[in-house]
Amino acid sequence: MTNAIIRAAQPADLPQLIDLCAAHAAYEQCPYNRAGKAQQLGALLFQDSPSIYCLVVENDHRLVGFATYMKQYATWDAAPYIYMDCLFLVEAARGFGYGEKLVRAIQQAATQLGCSLIQWQTPDFNTRAIKFYYRVGATAKSKERFFLAASFSGRPN
């Protein structure tokens, strides 16, 4: 696994990227529906001004990890920041420094995009990731994440 490279995702990567998304969802104990995901991600990743960016870790022509990020805006700080949506490596790719290389690449991208901060989240049961994030110099804020459908159908009874 020491010969893996980190590079920007390409359209041909989409089937393997969807496989990694499914593996990531399973790791975080969440359901995942693959339907239409390749087309939707491709439309966002590979446009002239992408709304989301993706780095992949490739080993022997096989994707073994990825990280996605996007530029956001923090009202409190009155400044843009990078939101890292996903960082995932298959078990066989962990422990080789690829997670840190992905984080460092996103730090570099943040600087190029005029951002001085990167934010992300991970489930509280993902203790291995939490230890890793502290090791690379991150700090944590305790918050709850909420989800609400965009369509409103009235209050439940």
Side-chain angles (χ1 to χ4, degrees):
M1 193 62 67
T2 58
N3 296 334
I5 61 166
I6 294 175
R7 61 172 175 77
Q10 301 166 0
D13 295 327
L14 285 168
Q16 289 185 69
L17 185 58
I18 298 307
D19 290 343
L20 287 172
C21 288
H24 187 192
Y27 183 80
E28 291 197 0
Q29 303 169 13
C30 294
Y32 187 75
N33 180 354
R34 295 169 179 262
K37 295 292 194 296
Q39 296 82 358
Q40 292 167 324
L41 274 176
L44 297 172
L45 287 168
F46 306 116
Q47 56 186 321
D48 289 337
S49 296
S51 53
I52 186 169
Y53 302 89
C54 181
L55 298 171
V56 295
V57 182
E58 179 184 12
N59 185 61
D60 292 329
H61 308 289
R62 190 89 192 124
L63 298 188
V64 295
F66 76 105
T68 54
Y69 60 96
M70 63 207 73
K71 189 173 182 177
Q72 302 276 299
Y73 194 81
T75 306
W76 285 6
D77 296 329
Y81 69 95
I82 292 296
Y83 179 73
M84 182 172 64
D85 184 52
C86 294
L87 189 156
F88 179 75
L89 296 165
V90 298
E91 185 68 36
R94 296 178 191 153
F96 292 94
Y98 299 119
E100 184 167 352
K101 288 179 182 178
L102 286 168
V103 169
R104 301 301 177 216
I106 293 171
Q107 281 181 300
Q108 187 174 34
T111 300
Q112 292 169 347
L113 292 169
C115 302
S116 60
L117 184 66
I118 302 167
Q119 297 183 27
W120 67 92
Q121 59 196 1
T122 196
D124 59 0
F125 62 79
N126 193 352
T127 56
R128 186 172 179 182
I130 292 167
K131 281 173 76 173
F132 163 72
Y133 293 138
Y134 282 127
R135 188 176 59 73
V136 298
T139 58
K141 287 183 182 178
S142 182
K143 290 188 173 187
E144 293 290 327
R145 183 169 181 122
F146 294 88
F147 301 85
L148 178 65
S151 61
F152 180 73
S153 60
R155 294 181 186 259
N157 294 333

